[in-house]
Amino acid sequence: MLNPYAQSFLASCALAAISTALPAAAHAQPRETSPTMTIPAEAVPMIPREHLFGNPEKAGGQISPDGQWLSWRAPKNGVLNVWIAPASDPSAAKAMTSAADRPISQYFWAPDSRSLLYIQDKGGDENFLLYGVDIATGAERTLTDFENTRVQLIGTSETIRDKILVGLNNRDARLHDAYLLDLKSGELTLVQQNDGFAGFLADDNLNLRMALRPNAAGGMDFFTITDGVIAAAPTDSTALEDSLTTQPAGFTTDGETMYWIDSRGRDTAALIAQNVATGVKTVIAENDRADIGGAMTDPKTGEIEAYSFTYLKTEWTAIDPDIQSSLEWLGTRLEGEFGVSSRTEDDSKWIVWNDPVTAPSQTFIYDRKAQSLASFYVGRPELEGAPLQPMQTLELTSRDGLTLPSYLTLPAGSDADADGIPEAAVPMVLLVHGGPWARDSYGYNSYHQWLANRGYAVLSVNFRGSTGFGKGFISAGDLEWGRKMHDDLIDAVNWAVEQGITADDRVAIMGGSYGGYATLAGLAFTPDEFACGVDIVGPSNLETLLATIPPYWEPVIAQFHERMGNPDTPEGLAMLKERSPLYSAGNITKPLLIGQGANDPRVNQAESDQIVSAMKDKGIPVTYVLYPDEGHGFAKPANNVAFNAVAENFLATCLGGRSEPIGDTIANSTAEIVEGAEFVKGLKDAMGG
């Protein structure tokens, strides 16, 4: 099957996107504003924040490989844990994990169906350890019990089901050594010490077959491994332009075919099969607008059966006729997008998710033999009947002619004739994705729905540098932080103003990670473009950002330097300083709200501290919310809800939308209001001050 580690390796080395991008805080003198239309509170029911951002009732549904068990994540004492129930009796559910503080965000079944495996960090530090729970006894244990260590999954096997390959950086924080983990005994056996490689690829026999090492050009060299010996010279290489769109993706079970995601010789990444014996490569699928996005593989053979591309929406194409028949059958019964999240080893049952956008997502159990579709759960049943709004797909054009795939959500009741344009201009929030080597996609989006419900148009733009649209689109963002990447955002706002969607003085900018940087850049570099902004864990100083990256990102530092700027050269350092909002903080005149996790390993707390200090020194009001138990984003629902409470009340002050009172959300979270409580409506009262 396609190796999940290989597929996501390079993307994980970028500043990842955050699902908790949020709004902005108050300051500056009030000014005259253009007339806009906001929806009266009585006209559209207010969707409670808790319904959008609190714990789901259930999430992450799977079925065990042997088909005997259903599993999912659900609250236990208010914290998301992993639950199971017999597939024959879903009502006989029991919690298998005992997380009491941070929610469990990822879990998976052991190949032999005898245990559940999950990862967990401490306080958002992203030093994820691997844990296992025995299904028969319920015994839970730490499988990688090391301090300051981050586990990686290298490979699982169809034929060796009681073992997996993992990477551990407990010897050297920069490098992950490969270990064979016995899931029964917990024994770890060193397979390959890592002396400078970014990662490894294994076959179904759990033998390492390839090593990946960054090269000086900002790309990657690929070395074959034979009988445990890494070749002296690479057999394949990429330069910078293909570095984010080319990587090996895994082997078939028999080891005779290796799959590639490959953009070499083309713009978009194709799905390619390589005959291991002869080296001959065959293109399975390619698309001139989008990179290969996903694949379904036979649980037994590992052969690809279907693939997808995502341009504006995801489109699946089946190679295998039986898979095609099943996908077509599902397509006639499910409204909106759907996908397969889990399959039994005999492929008789699938777990299928369905996203109708304007209704809560639902998960089903699909019996392929019986041709039946049974409801597994609705993730957020409290949203049934809520005024969720459709999402529009757009193709905008940048000032230099690039097409920018984008998404727009309008407030309920604002577009009576359903032509995609409100009858009168409404305030708008430009919601910027993180990464920047990531993308926005179509589907239910809690932030789009939340902000639209509060009376705002919400626009998300895939600016240059976003992934999924070919290497040329990514490379167009090289060395363009705060310049052409930002121009794309401004062009999108100008389009919205020209269309009558919003007014030029009623637009907020908000986002997390790179989206937080874009917020700071928007207020510092283009201070007249936005009415206010929200920065969530965004870097303010690109020089210090690159100097404090996690140690396990060091192997790919050359790519950061080539795409952002090289601080080791005088011209590179000068550019990084020029593009850092910190050095233009004095230009900020509009309301700003900052949210930060104290344990963030990607964007250190100092990034937020620096710009808050600079703004205070210049007498510019700023509101700063710090979470001592969070990292790169807010994992705990209570913290997420609290920040959103602050954010929507700020936006109500800044843009004139509606909001729920902050209430006791601050008291129920770990939020520390470091600065500027007086600039957000109701915040001082919520703090008891």
Side-chain angles (χ1 to χ4, degrees):
M1 62 182 63
L2 291 187
N3 185 300
Y5 167 75
Q7 282 184 290
S8 63
F9 169 70
L10 285 177
S12 72
C13 293
L15 301 182
I18 301 178
S19 61
T20 52
L22 316 165
H27 114 248
Q29 296 298 316
R31 60 174 177 160
E32 234 178 66
T33 59
S34 302
T36 60
M37 185 183 98
T38 55
I39 304 302
E42 64 272 13
V44 178
M46 181 91 77
I47 303 176
R49 287 184 299 262
E50 188 69 31
H51 291 183
L52 293 161
F53 302 110
N55 277 321
E57 185 170 292
K58 291 182 180 177
Q62 297 183 33
I63 190 167
S64 60
D66 63 8
Q68 298 301 304
W69 298 95
L70 298 173
S71 59
W72 62 92
R73 292 181 298 125
K76 174 187 174 184
N77 298 325
V79 179
L80 283 182
N81 276 272
V82 182
W83 296 64
I84 68 169
S88 58
D89 185 11
S91 64
K94 59 180 178 180
M96 296 299 291
T97 59
S98 54
D101 182 36
R102 295 182 69 75
I104 293 175
S105 60
Q106 296 181 52
Y107 80 96
F108 59 101
W109 280 92
D112 62 6
S113 300
R114 295 182 178 178
S115 60
L116 282 166
L117 307 173
Y118 71 93
I119 60 170
Q120 186 70 291
D121 70 348
K122 297 176 182 177
D125 65 3
E126 297 190 11
N127 284 321
F128 291 102
L129 299 182
L130 181 66
Y131 300 83
V133 184
D134 186 276
I135 297 300
T137 67
E140 187 173 355
R141 59 180 171 170
T142 308
L143 295 170
T144 57
D145 195 6
F146 304 100
E147 291 295 322
N148 301 316
T149 297
R150 177 186 174 95
V151 66
Q152 292 179 342
L153 176 65
I154 296 177
T156 62
S157 172
E158 162 65 22
T159 53
I160 306 172
R161 300 189 174 194
D162 59 349
K163 297 179 177 64
I164 62 174
L165 277 173
V166 297
L168 295 173
N169 63 339
N170 57 319
R171 178 186 59 86
D172 185 329
R174 300 168 301 168
L175 305 168
H176 283 75
D177 299 327
Y179 285 86
L180 185 68
L181 171 61
D182 188 313
L183 296 173
K184 293 180 180 177
S185 67
E187 181 181 1
L188 283 164
T189 303
L190 180 65
V191 173
Q192 181 71 56
Q193 180 170 305
N194 187 342
D195 295 319
F197 294 93
F200 300 102
L201 188 70
D203 61 19
D204 195 71
N205 292 321
L206 299 182
N207 292 322
L208 297 181
R209 297 282 294 274
M210 181 169 283
L212 293 70
R213 186 168 68 192
N215 56 40
M220 196 71 65
D221 292 333
F222 306 101
F223 299 80
T224 58
I225 303 176
T226 305
D227 297 327
V229 178
I230 302 175
T235 54
D236 264 301
S237 293
T238 63
L240 177 69
E241 67 171 356
D242 293 297
S243 59
L244 287 175
T245 46
T246 299
Q247 55 253 312
F251 292 89
T252 52
T253 302
D254 60 16
E256 295 180 2
T257 300
M258 182 171 71
Y259 293 113
W260 287 84
I261 298 167
D262 203 327
S263 63
R264 289 172 292 183
R266 54 179 56 81
D267 180 50
T268 54
L271 179 60
I272 290 177
Q274 180 178 16
N275 184 298
V276 173
T278 66
V280 174
K281 294 180 179 179
T282 304
V283 176
I284 297 174
E286 58 183 328
N287 183 293
D288 61 1
R289 297 195 302 173
D291 299 326
I292 183 73
M296 293 177 64
T297 59
D298 186 294
K300 289 288 187 182
T301 69
E303 295 178 359
I304 288 180
E305 300 173 310
Y307 57 84
S308 70
F309 292 97
T310 301
Y311 180 61
L312 291 173
K313 295 183 179 181
T314 299
E315 298 179 4
W316 280 92
T317 300
I319 300 171
D320 181 272
D322 290 339
I323 297 297
Q324 180 177 352
S325 177
S326 291
L327 293 178
E328 289 175 348
W329 188 90
L330 289 168
T332 64
R333 288 158 175 81
L334 300 175
E335 179 183 351
E337 297 205 333
F338 66 89
V340 180
S341 56
S342 183
R343 302 161 74 178
T344 55
E345 60 194 15
D346 66 4
D347 216 20
S348 64
K349 292 184 176 64
W350 293 356
I351 302 300
V352 178
W353 58 265
N354 177 219
D355 178 9
V357 180
T358 54
S361 297
Q362 190 167 357
T363 299
F364 296 89
I365 305 166
Y366 171 39
D367 188 320
R368 297 181 70 203
K369 292 180 180 178
Q371 289 289 278
S372 65
L373 196 63
S375 179
F376 187 174
Y377 59 81
V378 176
R380 294 184 180 273
E382 61 271 25
L383 290 179
E384 292 180 324
L388 302 178
Q389 297 305 296
M391 175 181 278
Q392 299 179 42
T393 59
L394 305 169
E395 291 181 293
L396 307 182
T397 304
S398 71
R399 65 190 67 180
D400 57 355
L402 285 183
T403 299
L404 310 175
S406 303
Y407 303 94
L408 175 68
T409 304
L410 295 176
S414 65
D415 181 16
D417 58 6
D419 65 350
I421 305 295
E423 308 311 311
V426 297
M428 188 177 84
V429 177
L430 178 68
L431 186 64
V432 186
H433 72 68
W437 306 294
R439 63 162 293 169
D440 281 310
S441 297
Y442 178 82
Y444 170 83
N445 183 304
S446 58
Y447 285 87
H448 271 246
Q449 295 295 346
W450 167 53
L451 293 167
N453 184 256
R454 299 320 191 238
Y456 310 113
V458 190
L459 180 62
S460 292
V461 181
N462 284 305
F463 48 86
R464 71 191 67 205
S466 301
T467 54
F469 307 101
K471 65 188 181 187
F473 196 73
I474 296 173
S475 296
D478 290 353
L479 306 181
E480 295 294 344
W481 284 49
R483 291 299 179 266
K484 290 183 179 180
M485 293 165 74
H486 188 64
D487 289 345
D488 291 345
L489 300 176
I490 300 299
D491 292 345
V493 170
N494 289 340
W495 170 86
V497 172
E498 291 165 4
Q499 294 294 311
I501 293 169
T502 191
D504 60 6
D505 55 358
R506 302 299 285 164
V507 180
I509 181 171
M510 59 185 287
S513 194
Y514 177 84
Y517 165 83
T519 297
L520 297 175
L523 297 188
F525 301 153
T526 53
D528 296 327
E529 290 289 343
F530 299 101
C532 51
V534 180
D535 154 33
I536 314 300
V537 297
S540 63
N541 184 339
L542 300 185
E543 179 190 2
T544 56
L545 171 71
L546 290 175
T548 57
I549 61 170
Y552 41 82
W553 284 5
E554 286 188 22
V556 291
I557 191 63
Q559 186 173 154
F560 282 85
H561 289 173
E562 293 294 327
R563 295 197 185 275
M564 293 175 61
N566 189 344
D568 298 330
T569 66
E571 60 274 16
L573 180 59
M575 186 185 72
L576 288 169
K577 288 184 175 180
E578 177 198 5
R579 309 293 176 81
S580 296
L582 175 66
Y583 296 105
S584 297
N587 295 333
I588 298 176
T589 60
K590 305 294 173 55
L592 175 62
L593 171 66
I594 294 177
Q596 178 69 47
N599 303 318
D600 191 338
R602 308 185 191 199
V603 179
N604 290 182
Q605 180 184 331
E607 294 295 322
S608 292
D609 290 349
Q610 289 177 91
I611 197 158
V612 169
S613 177
M615 292 180 69
K616 282 182 61 184
D617 289 346
K618 295 180 183 296
I620 305 169
V622 59
T623 301
Y624 183 19
V625 185
L626 180 67
Y627 291 88
D629 56 349
E630 295 284 13
H632 199 60
F634 310 138
K636 293 183 176 181
N639 289 341
N640 206 11
V641 168
F643 192 86
N644 287 344
V646 174
E648 72 173 69
N649 278 276
F650 165 70
L651 283 177
T653 304
C654 173
L655 295 181
R658 58 184 187 163
S659 62
E660 284 186 278
I662 294 174
D664 59 1
T665 60
I666 300 298
N668 292 337
S669 75
T670 61
E672 299 175 0
I673 312 302
V674 181
E675 297 288 343
E678 65 271 26
F679 303 123
V680 177
K681 181 182 69 174
L683 183 52
K684 290 191 75 173
D685 290 340
M687 296 169 60

